[in-house]
């Protein structure tokens, strides 16, 4: 087969990276991204969450590695680590597709367009054509790149190539309308630059019954152009719906809002969320988070909230730092952006959120909103990047302590510290801070200190005369059901295993066993309960599947992050 096609497909699939034999978030191996989703429990059908013990589906599109291995007579395990055999397997797979389409092996690379589109394993003509167009754009324009291992790879430009796009119709894929224009408010300067097809899932939200309920604010920890490039890197395994420039002058949409981006590190929340990445660095927030960026981001959030009926409050407009990962083992790696210097008070005013109640005395059992005045709430943190320094400046959080005194230890988050050791003031130590706009239930009051139910215990915040809180009279408070000793704490809301159709593996509903929600404690829910659900994207041989369960879950503000609890175990 033409080497230009092989190089182009490998570039578009993996940027020529082998990743030392490790699978991508979609279970793809080697420079040809040959998929195997049942490889020793290293890949689940929940991409973007990291390795887990689970199995893939029985769909052929998730097992191209084994098909390719059979074609060239090599063991599947060899194709995962041997780059030459991986390339041979990918070439054999492409050749098998080409024979089905034209029954010929043309010397002209342009005659391989249909095989390249089929290689994407995309379920519809839009995504398959987007992948093939990317391959032939690389062939025409040429590409050169130094891999992570230092090896330089190049694809010489061949501008005369003319791909035979008419072959796309012969693949029998479903037709889907392409995103012709970015989904943005008219006042913003937007463009659409799609993420790599392996970095998101095609879906039909909200039409398929899977509602968008959360808007998640992130920061890139990098530049605007770097963020766009990262999401277009098929090896990154990550994407967001939007990337916002620091000066607010430009927005790039990278995933259609109907589709599922891999941005929050929690697949169930990704199913119900839209992600916005801000150019900037969390530890340097005020330097990057400009007034223009606040205003442009607010305009985008208002536009999205109106389209999808998302409440403009901090229970639904959240930060990445409010999202718990799906399993306890991932908690130490959980992101903490946009960090302590994103001014939630200013931002929520810009989106037109309902004004908070006036402050004042607080009472036990009352729900309150954490609401320190940003400009007057100077907090000390330690930043280590690479050397450690201490900085004190206006912040959006309050420290939560074990006792009502300023020198008391910070509360311990057992998902971060299984030994129960105290939290620290390190900027990335998210376990002992409550953020502006979060709502909690008052557990006790002593002088200038207010205790809230926080992460399974009483946590004390400095709150003289209620200056750092506001009443939350409309909060829906969740407690353990009568007679129940405690409530199980999760971070997802998946159906039971027996509710999944045959051939589709159940997602693990993993309990955070170190977290407590015993009788006597209470937490604030993010609105009405959510029905258990899960999603499987369409493939060339299967339409998309939404799995619904008969159980319901409340999303609660448990600590700095959200958690889920089964309503069968709670009383309201």
């Amino acid at each position: 087969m033409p080497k230009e096609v092989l190089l182009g497909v490998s570039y578009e699939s993996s940027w020529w990276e082998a990743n030392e034999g490790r699978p991508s978030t979609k279970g793809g191996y080697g420079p040809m991204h040959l998929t195997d989703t049942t490889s020793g429990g290293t890949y689940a059908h929940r991409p973007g969450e990291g390795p887990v013990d689970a199995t893939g589906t029985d769909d052929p599109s998730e097992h191209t590695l084994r098909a390719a291995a059979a074609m060239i007579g090599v063991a599947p395990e060899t194709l995962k680590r041997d780059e030459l055999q991986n390339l041979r397997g990918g070439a054999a797979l492409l050749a098998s597709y080409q024979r089905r389409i034209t029954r010929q092996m043309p010397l002209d690379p342009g005659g391989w367009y249909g095989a390249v589109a089929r290689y994407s394993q995309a379920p519809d003509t839009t995504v398959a054509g987007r992948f093939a167009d990317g391959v032939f754009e690389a062939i025409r324009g040429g590409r050169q790149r130094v891999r992570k291992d230092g090896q330089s790879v190049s694809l010489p430009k061949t501008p005369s190539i003319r791909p035979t796009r008419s072959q796309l119709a012969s693949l029998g894929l479903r037709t889907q309308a392409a995103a012709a224009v970015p989904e943005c408010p008219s006042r913003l300067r937007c463009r659409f630059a799609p993420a790599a097809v392996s970095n998101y899932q095609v879906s039909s939200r909200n039409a398929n019954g899977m509602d968008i309920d959360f808007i998640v604010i992130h920061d890139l920890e990098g530049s605007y152009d770097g963020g766009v490039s990262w999401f277009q890197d098929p090896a990154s395994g990550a994407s967001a719906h939007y990337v916002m420039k620091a000066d607010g002058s430009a927005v790039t949409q990278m995933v259609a809002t109907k589709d599922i981006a891999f941005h929050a590190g929690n697949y169930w929340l990704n199913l119900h969320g839209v992600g916005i990445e801000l150019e900037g660095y969390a530890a340097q927030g005020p330097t990057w988070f400009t007034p223009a960026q606040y205003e442009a981001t607010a305009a985008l959030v208002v536009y999205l909230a109106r389209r999808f009926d998302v409440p403009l409050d901090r229970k639904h407009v959240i930060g990445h730092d409010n999202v718990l990962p799906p399993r306890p083992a991932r908690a130490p790696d959980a992101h903490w952006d946009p960090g302590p210097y994103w001014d939630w008070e200013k931002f929520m005013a810009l989106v037109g959120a309902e004004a908070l109640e006036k402050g004042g005395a607080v009472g036990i059992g009352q729900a309150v909103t954490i609401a320190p005045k940003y400009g007057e709430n100077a907090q000390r943190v330690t930043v280590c990047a690479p050397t450690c320094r201490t900085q004190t400046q206006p912040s959006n959080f309050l420290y939560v302590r074990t006792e009502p005194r300023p020198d008391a230890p910070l509360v311990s988050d057992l998902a971060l510290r299984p030994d129960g050791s105290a939290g620290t003031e390190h900027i990335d130590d998210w376990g002992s801070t409550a953020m502006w706009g979060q709502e909690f239930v008052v557990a006790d009051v002593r002088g200038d200190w207010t205790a809230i139910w926080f992460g399974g215990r009483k946590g004390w915040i400095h709150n003289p005369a209620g200056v750092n809180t506001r009443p939350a009279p409309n909060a829906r408070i969740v407690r353990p059901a009568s007679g129940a000793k405690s409530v199980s704490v999760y971070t997802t809301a998946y159906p039971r295993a027996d509710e999944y159709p045959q051939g589709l593996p159940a997602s693990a509903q993993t309990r955070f066993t170190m977290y407590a929600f015993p009788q006597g404690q209470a937490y604030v829910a993010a609105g009405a309960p959510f029905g258990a659900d899960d999603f499987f994207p369409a493939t060339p041989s299967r339409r998309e599947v939404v799995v619904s369960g008969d159980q319901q879950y409340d999303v609660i503000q448990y600590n700095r992050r959200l958690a889920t609890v089964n309503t069968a175990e709670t009383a309201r």
Side-chain angles (χ1 to χ4, degrees):
M1 65 177 300
K3 67 178 182 180
E4 298 92 338
V5 173
L6 194 63
L7 280 166
V9 169
S10 179
Y11 180 85
E12 192 69 9
S13 298
S14 69
W15 279 16
W16 297 324
E17 293 288 352
N19 293 317
E20 299 178 339
R22 296 189 302 270
S24 73
T25 56
K26 284 195 171 180
Y29 289 85
M32 295 303 292
H33 199 259
L34 296 169
T35 58
D36 185 14
T37 67
T38 55
S39 52
T42 60
Y43 168 76
H45 64 286
R46 308 297 69 167
E49 292 186 355
V52 296
D53 292 327
T55 58
T57 72
D58 56 6
D59 192 277
S61 68
E62 294 190 353
H63 302 279
T64 61
L65 183 138
R66 295 182 181 274
M71 290 177 186
I72 64 173
V74 174
E77 290 299 315
T78 301
L79 268 68
K80 294 177 183 178
R81 294 176 175 83
D82 187 318
E83 291 189 50
L84 176 59
Q85 300 306 324
N86 188 278
L87 289 165
R88 289 186 65 229
L93 203 62
L94 278 162
S96 71
Y97 298 153
Q98 183 66 29
R99 291 189 188 99
R100 295 176 201 170
I101 296 167
T102 66
R103 298 180 180 173
Q104 298 177 342
M105 302 287 282
L107 297 177
D108 176 14
W112 288 73
Y113 185 89
V116 170
R118 179 65 182 83
Y119 193 91
S120 71
Q121 310 301 323
D124 59 72
T125 55
T126 298
V127 180
R130 182 179 294 161
F131 177 85
D133 288 343
V135 169
F136 282 94
E137 181 181 339
I139 294 172
R140 286 197 302 268
R143 294 292 186 269
Q144 186 165 352
R145 190 168 186 270
V146 177
R147 302 196 326 171
K148 295 173 185 175
D149 62 4
Q151 184 180 170
S152 179
V153 186
S154 62
L155 169 59
K157 65 172 65 175
T158 314
S160 61
I161 295 297
R162 295 291 179 266
T164 310
R165 289 191 172 86
S166 59
Q167 292 177 355
L168 189 62
S170 67
L171 300 182
L173 301 177
R174 291 179 285 279
T175 301
Q176 184 183 40
V181 294
E183 303 164 275
C184 283
S186 58
R187 58 165 288 191
L188 297 185
R189 180 170 167 260
C190 293
R191 63 167 182 159
F192 192 91
V197 296
S198 60
N199 291 346
Y200 68 96
Q201 286 179 333
V202 175
S203 176
S204 57
R205 302 183 306 176
N206 286 350
N208 61 6
M210 190 156 282
D211 292 339
I212 293 170
D213 299 291
F214 301 97
I215 300 172
V216 187
I217 307 296
H218 307 251
D219 84 71
L220 284 165
E221 293 300 301
S223 70
Y224 176 74
D225 291 337
V228 172
S229 177
W230 179 242
F231 297 147
Q232 290 179 325
D233 179 349
S236 75
S239 62
H241 292 89
Y242 298 91
V243 179
M244 174 71 68
K245 199 170 177 61
D247 62 6
S249 65
V251 183
T252 296
Q253 184 177 7
M254 306 201 69
V255 178
T257 57
K258 70 178 185 60
D259 296 334
I260 299 161
F262 305 154
H263 59 101
N266 180 317
Y267 184 76
W268 183 81
L269 196 133
N270 284 341
L271 293 180
H272 297 279
V274 170
I276 302 172
E277 287 275 4
L278 308 176
E279 180 180 29
Y281 297 84
Q284 306 169 15
T287 305
W288 291 90
F289 302 152
T290 67
Q293 188 182 54
Y294 277 106
E295 292 174 5
T297 306
L300 179 57
V301 167
V302 169
Y303 165 84
L304 294 168
R306 288 174 177 168
R307 277 192 64 191
F308 301 112
D309 198 25
V310 177
L312 286 169
D313 59 41
R314 282 283 284 119
K315 295 188 285 286
H316 298 86
V317 180
I318 62 177
H320 196 177
D321 54 359
N322 298 133
V323 180
L324 263 173
R327 296 173 306 285
R330 304 289 294 180
D333 301 324
H335 290 212
W336 50 277
D337 55 305
Y341 307 129
W342 177 252
D343 189 345
W344 282 108
E345 180 182 22
K346 173 197 291 186
F347 183 71
M348 296 309 291
L350 285 172
V351 302
E354 185 176 344
L356 299 179
E357 298 278 324
K358 292 184 178 180
V362 295
I364 296 174
Q366 172 188 2
V368 294
T369 304
I370 304 298
K373 296 293 293 181
Y374 181 84
E376 302 169 10
N377 183 47
Q379 298 288 358
R380 183 179 63 195
V381 299
T382 299
V383 180
C384 297
T387 59
C388 294
R389 69 183 189 279
T390 298
Q391 60 191 39
T392 301
Q393 59 190 62
S395 305
N396 60 21
F397 72 93
L398 298 174
Y399 281 118
V400 184
R401 301 189 178 274
T402 56
E403 298 179 44
R405 51 187 176 84
D407 59 347
L410 296 172
V411 297
S412 178
D413 189 298
L414 294 178
L416 290 176
R417 293 184 171 78
D419 63 357
S421 57
T424 71
E425 292 182 350
H426 283 252
I427 195 169
D428 59 348
D429 190 349
W430 49 264
S432 51
T433 54
M435 309 295 289
W436 191 97
Q438 289 190 285
E439 295 178 1
F440 297 99
V441 178
V442 175
D444 203 351
V445 179
R446 293 186 196 173
D448 291 343
W449 293 80
T450 299
I452 55 176
W453 294 119
F454 184 86
R457 63 178 300 164
K458 281 185 181 181
W460 294 87
I461 59 173
H462 191 233
N463 192 30
V467 67
N468 288 325
T469 59
R470 300 289 183 272
N474 299 320
R476 190 167 69 83
I477 297 175
V478 174
R479 298 178 173 86
S482 177
K485 289 184 178 181
S486 65
V487 175
S488 302
V489 177
Y490 306 94
T491 63
T492 54
Y494 292 128
R496 296 190 311 273
D498 62 3
E499 293 177 314
Y500 285 77
Q502 186 175 3
L504 296 181
S507 293
Q509 181 76 349
T510 305
R511 182 181 176 185
F512 275 58
T513 54
M514 73 291 298
Y515 283 164
F517 184 174
Q519 194 67 248
Q521 293 188 10
Y523 295 89
V524 175
F530 291 79
D533 57 9
D534 203 351
F535 177 76
F536 295 83
T539 70
S541 61
R542 181 194 70 215
R543 292 187 178 276
E544 71 175 29
V545 178
V546 174
V547 183
S548 299
D550 61 10
Q551 296 178 310
Q552 291 194 316
Y553 288 82
D554 274 317
V555 175
I556 62 170
Q557 304 206 22
Y558 182 70
N559 45 27
R560 176 159 163 177
R561 299 179 183 266
L562 303 174
T564 58
V565 293
N566 194 318
T567 59
E569 301 179 30
T570 62
R572 299 183 295 281

